[in-house]
Amino acid sequence: QKEVEQNSGPLSVPEGAIASLNCTYSDRGSQSFFWYRQYSGKSPELIMFIYSNGDKEDGRFTAQLNKASQYVSLLIRDSQPSDSATYLCAVTTNSGYALNFGKGTSLLVTP
Amino acid sequence: EAQVTQNPRYLITVTGKKLTVTCSQNMNHEYMSWYRQDPGLGLRQIYYSMNVEVTDKGDVPEGYKVSRKEKRNFPLILESPSPNQTSLYFCASSKLLAGATGELFFGEGSRLTVL
């Protein structure tokens, strides 16, 4: 099984701060990388995807990919209490079809 | 409304009693997949399908069967459920982008308890 590793947390940040979430993966052939957010009792929903090395920004969210280090991160700027959720890193396998998820990092944004 | 619909949402059954969890999507997605989510283990892929009549095993396929006879439907079959299949199940679908999985759209989940 291809591994996708995340710190389980909880990661606690004050409102307005930057939250940094990290993910490493073992399959060097992985091509697509996703960050999902899951609120308690709900389904995961996509926040961002990234395919190329470097940074990708969307509003308060920035995804960073370093394929050489097999590392993906998600930065959340100006964190809000509504950002409190579990963040799931997902990585496609070499085939491009199977999508493996990390166990998720729990984020708590305190007012 | 674009959606992935799973049924049933909640089910309590007994060991050995065959059951099927249905999944249907209305977005004309090629790719569909089943996941189970367990505390401390995260989301684990059971089976996936790249198109009609094309399926492949994920990481935890034992005890499950799937079929993809129509593009919109991807049922999950538990022929002889056991208590270790008690879990929260998610169906998801995606367009294929350049031959790879894109954004997954998830159903609301089906909570299954096997006694």
Side-chain angles (χ1 to χ4, degrees), chain A residues 36 38 43 96-97 99-100, chain B residues 31 35 37 45 59 101 104 107:
Chain A
Y36 286 82
Q38 187 176 25
S43 308
Y97 295 122
L99 185 63
N100 292 327
Chain B
Y31 182 92
Y35 288 87
Q37 188 170 38
Q45 193 165 35
D59 291 319
T101 307
L104 280 177

Side-chain angles (χ1 to χ4, degrees), chain A residues 4 23 25 27 30 32-34 72 89-93 98-101:
Chain A
V4 180
C23 172
Y25 60 95
D27 186 355
S30 296
S32 307
F33 308 86
F34 304 84
V72 192
C89 173
V91 177
T92 56
T93 62
L99 185 63
N100 292 327
F101 283 80

Side-chain angles (χ1 to χ4, degrees), chain A residues 3 10 19 31-32 36 62-63 65 71 80 87 91 100 103-104 107:
Chain A
E3 298 290 334
Q31 296 294 324
S32 307
Y36 286 82
T62 298
L65 174 61
Y71 175 91
Q80 301 297 309
Y87 289 79
V91 177
N100 292 327
K103 295 178 182 179
L107 173 66

